Amino acid sequence: RKKMGPLLLLIICQCAINSVKTHSVSNPNIILMMADDLGIGDLGCYGNRTLRTPNIDRLAEEGVTLTQHIAASPLCTPSRAAFLTGRYPIRSGMAAFSRVGVFLFSASSGGLPSEEITFSRLLKQKGYATALIGKWHLGMNCESSNDFCHHPLSHGFDYFYGLTVTNFRDCKPGQGSVFFKGVQKALVIPIQIAGITLVSLAIVQYIGLLKVPFQVLGYCLLIITILLVVLIFFFYHFRHLNCFLMRNHQIIQQPLSYENLTQRLTKETIQFIERNTDSPFLLVLSYLHVHTALYASEDFRGKSKHGLYGDAVEEMDWSVGQVLDVLEKHNLSDKTLVYFTSDQGAHVEEISSAGEVHGGYNGIYKGGKSTNWEGGIRVPGLFRWPGVIQAGASIEEPTSNMDIFPTVVKLAEARLPSDRIIDGHDLLPLLQGKVTRSKHEFLFHYCNAYLNAVRWHPGNSESVWKVFFFTPNFSPEDSNGCYDSHVCFCHGGFITRHDPPLLFDLSRDPEEKVPLTPETESRFYEILRVIHLAVDNHTRSLHAVSNQLSWDNLLWKPWLQLCCSSVFQSCYCDYDSEGSSLEGHSG
């Protein structure tokens, strides 16, 4: 009996420890932080030595750093759709066949379809309080200005404070326009054709070669004038019509003010956490930093070594620190999984009108936003969950931002949907060191709706093969981006097709400098054969869906336009002043 006592005590203690550990791994709080257009080379934990990011670096020190974390698309809208649903954006209709691959206007009818299942919806069903603070960029209305069919609150979020579209240069006076060049190019030829046609008709009418009713000429002129007036009105008032801040379904600031904007987003974040200290919560903190227009508050402006871009990165890092501090203050650190990433790589072509670099740094990686070169899709991937996942570990296996969906759904003990393909995989075994290989043998890289490249990581090899079926034409040719068009495009004269495809081994050539050939790689044709088979299998798994980024769904529809006052008052309101009380809003 004396010998059995300590043994029994040991067994009881071990059971208690296992019980605590099992309990701690289910239903944690979940905070998912996503930067906008942040380069993987902008962070200290990924090698940057001049930008100060101590709080984001702390996530790496206390958690896991993924070094081959891949965005499912190199553009905001499709990447975020994939993140929320765990599915390639081509499956949900969130990948464009036209040149424009993202939503540009608040009054467009496209968006994340209601049939898509987001992790927020599944976690809400399991009793989680859910909030999205910051950028949405996945649509708002379908048929009327108040149906909110694509709004965050229709996709499983209880609370929303942020922008439904994105942060454009046009939203900040003095920062130029992302549309001016494109609109200018698009309108010059149609206006010239219309003008020449009208003048020609008037001439043949005058000399009597053709009898054209005067009314027809008048109607044509009237229609063209009305269209031009509407277009000029829209772009003149773009900031008021598209750049506004919402709380749930209500506009609280129109147009958006950048004054202490990061502080306001951070304050909302802290208040949401403090409202939910006693029950599990899901918080998606979707930063506006560092998409242009760049901004930074007085405390950070002019303080970094990299101009306004660096100031914005360091301000975002401060905000991350505030979030970590409030978790510590309420003893929630050990109960909370924290994730930090970017929706895609840095926008290398972002240069201000004054010549200042407003885009980030993708480290050693080629290209940037809008391309499937590594610089466009290899993004930060940081996880922290003290006591549950490894601390200070680095994982080089291919992972995807689509993996967040199955990871958090399983942690919340919700069921993964069985009626659709989920392309992501649960990351927890990898993060805990229980397995060493990623479940992603293949990853498919789309440029809008066009299959651009494929990554293959064979189970019996350290190699990571990557093939390109086409590549963007950089302009100027010897540059690292498409500076002449501001972003790279996916078809026609903007690309070069490759047959056979370009082949790289990222394990030996992460910079994608030297394509392999049958002479330099003996398995060249075998690798291509396996990848082509994988593409065939993947293509067969796709089904026709409604194209959410068709021209019809992209264009501005006046009847969908939200306005917090009236058009005659320039849609102006400001209910988000610093002094207003934010208490009493539901979490």
Side-chain angles (χ1 to χ4, degrees):
R1 278 186 178 177
K2 283 181 183 178
K3 284 183 182 177
M4 285 297 289
L7 183 61
L8 190 61
L9 190 64
L10 186 66
I11 291 166
I12 291 166
C13 286
Q14 190 61 48
C15 288
I17 290 166
N18 288 342
S19 161
V20 169
K21 193 167 183 183
T22 304
H23 176 72
S24 70
V25 175
S26 61
N27 299 304
N29 303 313
I30 295 163
I31 298 178
L32 308 174
M33 295 186 273
M34 179 175 276
D36 197 354
D37 291 2
L38 181 75
I40 194 170
D42 287 328
L43 302 176
C45 51
Y46 284 95
N48 194 296
R49 294 292 168 262
T50 50
L51 279 173
R52 294 166 297 187
T53 55
N55 296 297
I56 297 171
D57 297 346
R58 188 177 143 200
L59 292 174
E61 288 159 17
E62 298 173 4
V64 173
T65 302
L66 303 177
T67 62
Q68 198 180 162
H69 194 46
I70 307 300
S73 170
L75 285 175
C76 309
T77 294
S79 175
R80 289 162 186 268
F83 165 68
L84 279 166
T85 63
R87 289 152 54 80
Y88 287 109
I90 191 78
R91 298 194 192 279
S92 56
M94 297 294 279
F97 288 90
S98 64
R99 188 185 298 187
V100 180
V102 300
F103 295 115
L104 301 173
F105 312 126
S106 65
S108 296
S109 56
L112 189 63
S114 54
E115 305 82 48
E116 286 300 311
I117 298 172
T118 60
F119 55 68
S120 45
R121 183 179 294 177
L122 294 177
L123 267 64
K124 183 178 179 177
Q125 289 169 1
K126 294 298 288 186
Y128 272 69
T130 57
L132 173 72
I133 292 171
K135 168 176 165 171
W136 174 238
H137 212 179
L138 294 171
M140 182 160 56
N141 293 311
C142 289
E143 294 174 2
S144 71
S145 62
N146 61 358
D147 63 35
F148 298 113
C149 63
H150 302 307
H151 189 278
L153 298 195
S154 299
H155 281 291
F157 290 103
D158 298 323
Y159 184 69
F160 171 60
Y161 175 92
L163 276 65
T164 56
V165 193
T166 188
N167 172 28
F168 290 111
R169 278 191 179 277
D170 305 68
C171 294
K172 193 179 180 195
Q175 292 297 304
S177 171
V178 294
F179 298 105
F180 186 70
K181 253 188 194 176
V183 170
Q184 205 177 24
K185 277 183 183 177
L187 285 183
V188 165
I189 292 173
I191 288 172
Q192 284 175 344
I193 290 170
I196 291 166
T197 304
L198 284 172
V199 170
S200 303
L201 285 171
I203 290 169
V204 296
Q205 166 83 1
Y206 179 75
I207 62 176
L209 286 176
L210 188 68
K211 289 289 178 189
V212 181
F214 183 74
Q215 281 179 315
V216 171
L217 288 174
Y219 284 136
C220 286
L221 191 60
L222 182 65
I223 289 165
I224 290 166
T225 305
I226 289 169
L227 287 173
L228 279 174
V229 166
V230 169
L231 205 63
I232 290 164
F233 170 84
F234 176 75
F235 282 106
Y236 183 77
H237 291 283
F238 181 91
R239 177 169 166 251
H240 289 259
L241 296 175
N242 294 284
C243 312
F244 51 77
L245 190 64
M246 293 188 87
R247 176 175 287 118
N248 296 329
H249 290 142
Q250 183 191 358
I251 294 177
I252 55 172
Q253 192 175 65
Q254 190 173 13
L256 172 73
S257 166
Y258 287 86
E259 188 69 29
N260 294 321
L261 182 53
T262 302
Q263 282 73 8
R264 285 182 278 149
L265 293 168
T266 307
K267 182 180 177 183
E268 287 281 338
T269 299
I270 290 169
Q271 288 181 340
F272 174 78
I273 292 170
E274 289 184 332
R275 289 197 298 270
N276 293 285
T277 52
D278 297 325
S279 57
F281 63 80
L282 164 72
L283 170 65
V284 177
L285 176 51
S286 180
Y287 286 105
L288 307 187
H289 285 318
V290 280
H291 196 293
T292 52
L294 294 178
Y295 67 94
S297 62
E298 205 174 322
D299 288 346
F300 294 90
R301 206 175 300 133
K303 302 292 171 65
S304 79
K305 293 180 180 178
H306 290 283
L308 190 52
Y309 183 88
D311 300 343
V313 172
E314 293 187 359
E315 183 172 54
M316 177 173 61
D317 180 78
W318 163 84
S319 174
V320 171
Q322 296 295 298
V323 175
L324 299 182
D325 287 349
V326 78
L327 291 178
E328 231 162 73
K329 175 185 169 186
H330 294 285
N331 298 315
L332 295 173
S333 296
D334 292 353
K335 302 172 189 171
T336 307
L337 172 67
V338 178
Y339 167 68
F340 181 90
T341 191
S342 177
D343 55 356
Q344 67 262 325
H347 193 173
V348 296
E349 296 94 345
E350 275 290 4
I351 309 290
S352 75
S353 53
E356 186 179 0
V357 175
H358 277 191
Y361 176 54
N362 292 316
I364 64 169
Y365 303 111
K366 186 174 181 174
K369 176 179 179 174
S370 81
T371 82
N372 281 303
W373 293 112
E374 289 298 283
I377 54 175
R378 197 181 284 225
V379 293
L382 301 170
F383 286 87
R384 188 195 78 163
W385 188 1
V388 178
I389 66 173
Q390 306 168 81
S394 181
I395 295 172
E396 295 179 9
E397 289 287 293
T399 57
S400 168
N401 66 349
M402 296 184 292
D403 297 337
I404 303 308
F405 180 95
T407 304
V408 302
V409 167
K410 286 189 179 179
L411 285 172
E413 297 181 332
R415 279 189 183 178
L416 285 171
S418 56
D419 63 340
R420 64 198 62 204
I421 292 172
I422 301 297
D423 297 297
H425 296 292
D426 181 13
L427 285 175
L428 197 62
L430 200 61
L431 299 175
Q432 289 183 306
K434 292 180 178 177
V435 299
T436 57
R437 300 288 294 197
S438 165
K439 287 185 180 176
H440 287 290
E441 185 179 0
F442 297 97
L443 280 170
F444 301 93
H445 306 302
Y446 280 85
C447 186
N448 286 352
Y450 304 98
L451 185 59
N452 184 186
V454 179
R455 176 182 311 249
W456 177 33
H457 184 39
N460 59 352
S461 166
E462 293 305 309
S463 289
V464 179
W465 306 107
K466 186 177 177 186
V467 302
F468 279 92
F469 303 114
F470 63 85
T471 49
N473 298 329
F474 284 169
S475 55
E477 253 182 68
D478 58 349
S479 70
N480 189 39
C482 302
Y483 289 85
D484 294 348
S485 53
H486 192 63
V487 290
C488 297
F489 297 115
C490 305
H491 59 281
F494 298 103
I495 62 169
T496 298
R497 297 193 178 277
H498 303 286
D499 188 14
L502 296 186
L503 174 65
F504 298 92
D505 181 359
L506 298 178
S507 68
R508 291 178 285 166
D509 180 19
E511 298 168 63
E512 298 168 298
K513 277 186 173 178
V514 185
L516 298 168
T517 64
E519 290 72 42
T520 57
E521 175 50 63
S522 60
R523 294 162 293 174
F524 185 87
Y525 290 110
E526 175 60 17
I527 293 162
L528 292 187
R529 187 188 69 79
V530 172
I531 286 173
H532 279 301
L533 279 173
V535 168
D536 289 344
N537 288 334
H538 169 69
T539 306
R540 279 197 296 273
S541 76
L542 302 177
H543 303 289
V545 289
S546 176
N547 180 5
Q548 296 298 320
L549 288 150
S550 64
W551 282 113
D552 177 50
N553 280 325
L554 282 172
L555 290 175
W556 177 57
K557 296 179 177 172
W559 59 92
L560 298 182
Q561 184 63 55
L562 284 186
C563 186
C564 64
S565 54
S566 75
V567 176
F568 301 106
Q569 294 172 295
S570 295
C571 292
Y572 176 83
C573 65
D574 186 0
Y575 308 122
D576 198 49
S577 58
E578 196 61 38
S580 65
S581 171
L582 296 175
E583 296 301 319
H585 293 286
S586 66

